[in-house]
Amino acid sequence: MTRGLFITFEGIDGSGKSTQAKALGAALAKDGHDIVMTREPGGSPGAEEIRHLLLTGDPDRWSAETEILLFTAARRDHLEKVIEPALMAGKTVISDRFADSTRVYQGATRGDLRATVDTLHDLMIAREPDLTFIIDMDPATALSRGLARGSGEDRFEDFGLGFQTLLRDGFLDIAKSQNGRCIVVDGNRMSDDITADIIAQTIALL
Ligand code: ADP
Ligand code: TYD
């Protein structure tokens, strides 16, 4: 059995990751691929419980250090219960966020905690996607889209525009340093145009 492909979507809040992940999943499924759609934080029952702790409540509820531990705990469960079994069964896994989000949100916004994030990742996760789409866009537009959803899971949106701008720079830095894995996609376009771009890039890899 050939190992499946692991694809992730990354970017700031409201940049269109969920929309594009769903569109890519639907296109690949139509083409006969066996697809597992998932998300972080969450994706497995235990990780979804940790998600609730992380995304609701006061922005100062957790320090960046505590967040690193909680996101990594959730990711470990998600990896063990959902991602690895699916990849081993030859399925294509599409995840809305993965470890790049921790590298940026926890590693590069509230002091330089990137070394801590990397150490814990190497110890507990030690897995990278085969392909990562980083959806890049204007933080003010993305923030207004994200908040307009009224999801009740806005703890990170509540840090404000300056925070989203730092995040955008952080994702672009990762794209530069990991350019064999990451593809930056311009998110300031009509949704269908972005999808066509992403499908073409994925098919080229498949
Ligand atoms: P994310 O998962 O990155 O937070 P979503 O895919 O949930 O982003 O999109 C956030 C909001 O913006 C949703 O209401 C969605 O319908 C809308 N949206 C997504 N992509 C676009 C686009 N290209 N142009 C305009 N609105 C969009
Ligand atoms: P998500 O539901 O994808 O939010 P959005 O649709 O607004 O992009 O992710 C939830 C939030 O969790 C988001 O603000 C980013 C944050 N997050 C981290 O801070 N670190 C992480 O490791 C992950 C996976 C998410």
Side-chain angles (χ1 to χ4, degrees), residues 7-203:
I7 303 172
T8 59
F9 281 81
E10 297 280 4
I12 60 177
D13 300 280
S15 56
K17 295 175 302 298
S18 316
T19 305
Q20 297 305 328
K22 268 186 221 130
L24 177 64
L28 293 179
K30 207 168 149 199
D31 219 29
H33 294 272
D34 205 345
I35 306 293
V36 172
M37 299 295 304
T38 191
R39 68 164 182 185
E40 288 207 352
S44 61
E48 289 287 333
E49 288 190 35
I50 299 175
R51 176 186 176 96
H52 182 71
L53 292 175
L54 279 160
L55 301 190
T56 60
D58 197 80
D60 295 328
R61 182 178 185 184
W62 311 110
S63 68
E65 287 83 351
T66 310
E67 282 172 15
I68 294 170
L69 293 166
L70 289 170
F71 278 112
T72 306
R75 180 161 308 126
R76 173 76 197 204
D77 191 62
H78 185 208
L79 195 65
E80 283 176 6
K81 307 262 172 58
V82 175
I83 299 175
E84 278 297 343
L87 294 174
M88 292 298 283
K91 297 178 184 172
T92 298
V93 175
I94 300 178
S95 185
D96 183 348
R97 295 192 185 277
F98 189 66
D100 292 324
S101 284
T102 316
R103 293 181 178 118
V104 175
Y105 280 76
Q106 282 68 46
T109 53
R110 285 159 289 169
D112 183 7
L113 291 173
R114 180 60 192 274
T116 308
V117 170
D118 288 346
T119 303
L120 202 57
H121 178 84
D122 292 348
L123 201 62
M124 286 296 156
I125 309 296
R127 148 91 40 221
E128 296 304 332
D130 299 299
L131 174 62
T132 297
F133 289 106
I134 293 183
I135 305 189
D136 179 58
M137 69 171 294
D138 167 48
T141 312
L143 187 60
S144 62
R145 277 190 200 165
L147 287 172
R149 280 179 307 207
S151 66
E153 292 186 330
D154 296 333
R155 197 175 144 250
F156 287 94
E157 276 106 328
D158 289 344
F159 280 110
L161 185 58
F163 185 75
Q164 297 296 326
T165 304
L166 272 180
L167 294 173
R168 180 193 200 180
D169 294 344
F171 279 117
L172 291 176
D173 283 348
I174 287 190
K176 242 185 253 156
S177 67
Q178 309 247 343
N179 63 3
R181 166 173 72 86
C182 299
I183 296 176
V184 178
V185 175
D186 177 7
N188 301 287
R189 292 178 289 165
M190 300 283 288
S191 192
D192 289 352
D193 294 342
I194 304 170
T195 305
D197 199 357
I198 287 171
I199 291 174
Q201 307 255 24
T202 306
I203 286 172

